[in-house]
Amino acid sequence: MDIIHKYFKNLTELQTAQFAKLQELYEDWNLKINVVSRKDIDELYLRHVLHSLGIAKIIQFKPGSKVMDVGTGGGFPGIPLAILFPETQFHLVDSIGKKIKVVNEVVAGLGLENVKTTHGRVEEVKDTYDFIVSRAVAQMETFVRWNKGKIAKKQNHDLKNGILYLKGGDLTEELKLYTSATIYNLPDFFEEDFFETKKVVHLGMKFKG
């Protein structure tokens, strides 16, 4: 938990309590349904929570904005971001039912009222969003295809509506089709070795009406 305070110093008492509760909730649910590896459970705040919050170093989601987390798995990056931005609406989607079950239980345990979940494929989601976030669930080309038509027309942020994707490694080949993509290196924000090759990729996407 100290590592969250290290980089996010202005948390409310409620946010601090919610972040602190994550370890207990994930340890408990991971015994029943394995959604986080044992090694990662021991380093939950570094490898999952702080990694998810890398997106918050790129953008401050405004009240009333809508964000979809595609392939949320155990709830990352959606749940940490929902704690940090309580006035932003988050929609967490995953095609694996047992993962969404854990997400629902964690959301309930934290008392988060700005999160809704869907067990299903993202292609079936009909709504539009300011941003779509994810942690490396597919190659960018595939991910863009999945999310076609899901970007809202109205711009509410300085950063153009589109995708915010947590990725790692050399992305030269993967992003060669996307010359407008911006890569933010997480070591510019976090000093821990874990983030050495970690990045946030922003890809603005046009509204398709």
Side-chain angles (χ1 to χ4, degrees):
M1 188 53 215
D2 289 346
I3 203 168
I4 306 303
H5 276 299
K6 177 179 174 181
Y7 294 108
F8 295 91
K9 299 185 188 308
N10 298 318
L11 299 177
T12 65
E13 282 186 26
L14 176 59
Q15 287 170 322
T16 300
Q18 287 171 326
F19 278 124
K21 203 170 181 183
L22 285 174
Q23 185 80 41
E24 173 194 342
L25 285 167
Y26 278 106
E27 281 183 1
D28 184 37
W29 275 99
N30 221 45
L31 292 173
K32 303 166 193 170
I33 301 171
N34 191 267
V35 292
V36 179
S37 74
R38 187 161 298 283
K39 182 181 178 185
D40 282 3
I41 273 286
D42 292 339
E43 295 191 68
L44 184 76
Y45 288 100
L46 172 69
R47 292 170 172 263
H48 291 282
V49 182
L50 189 60
H51 188 209
S52 297
L53 295 177
I55 289 171
K57 292 297 185 182
I58 311 307
I59 187 169
Q60 295 287 297
F61 294 123
K62 293 189 176 173
S65 53
K66 290 168 61 182
V67 178
M68 178 165 64
D69 176 5
V70 174
T72 189
F76 302 102
I79 286 177
L81 290 171
I83 294 173
L84 198 63
F85 300 105
E87 294 181 47
T88 296
Q89 298 303 310
F90 288 86
H91 184 185
L92 277 52
V93 179
D94 204 285
S95 60
I96 299 172
K98 67 179 184 178
K99 292 185 175 179
I100 286 294
K101 177 177 171 57
V102 173
V103 169
N104 285 334
E105 295 294 344
V106 172
V107 166
L110 295 171
L112 290 174
E113 295 181 354
N114 60 330
V115 175
K116 72 173 184 176
T117 63
T118 294
H119 168 217
R121 294 167 59 82
V122 65
E123 294 95 324
E124 296 157 7
V125 175
K126 301 300 181 201
D127 211 346
T128 61
Y129 302 85
D130 297 88
F131 291 96
I132 294 168
V133 300
S134 191
R135 289 208 303 176
V137 294
Q139 290 280 86
M140 184 63 92
E141 193 172 355
T142 303
F143 194 72
V144 168
R145 188 174 70 248
W146 287 352
N147 292 291
K148 199 172 179 183
K150 294 178 175 40
I151 301 299
K153 186 174 186 179
K154 187 182 177 190
Q155 299 281 332
N156 297 309
H157 300 78
D158 292 336
L159 209 60
K160 188 177 177 188
N161 289 3
I163 290 169
L164 288 163
Y165 211 5
L166 288 158
K167 299 282 271 181
D170 184 352
L171 303 177
T172 310
E173 189 67 22
E174 185 173 343
L175 295 178
K176 67 181 181 183
L177 291 173
Y178 305 103
T179 53
S180 64
T182 305
I183 298 172
Y184 300 88
N185 295 305
L186 286 181
D188 291 345
F189 307 100
F190 304 139
E191 65 184 14
E192 286 72 20
D193 290 345
F194 172 73
F195 297 104
E196 188 178 346
T197 63
K198 302 284 192 292
K199 304 167 176 68
V200 178
V201 179
H202 171 248
L203 180 63
M205 289 175 69
K206 287 190 176 128
F207 170 77
K208 300 271 199 303

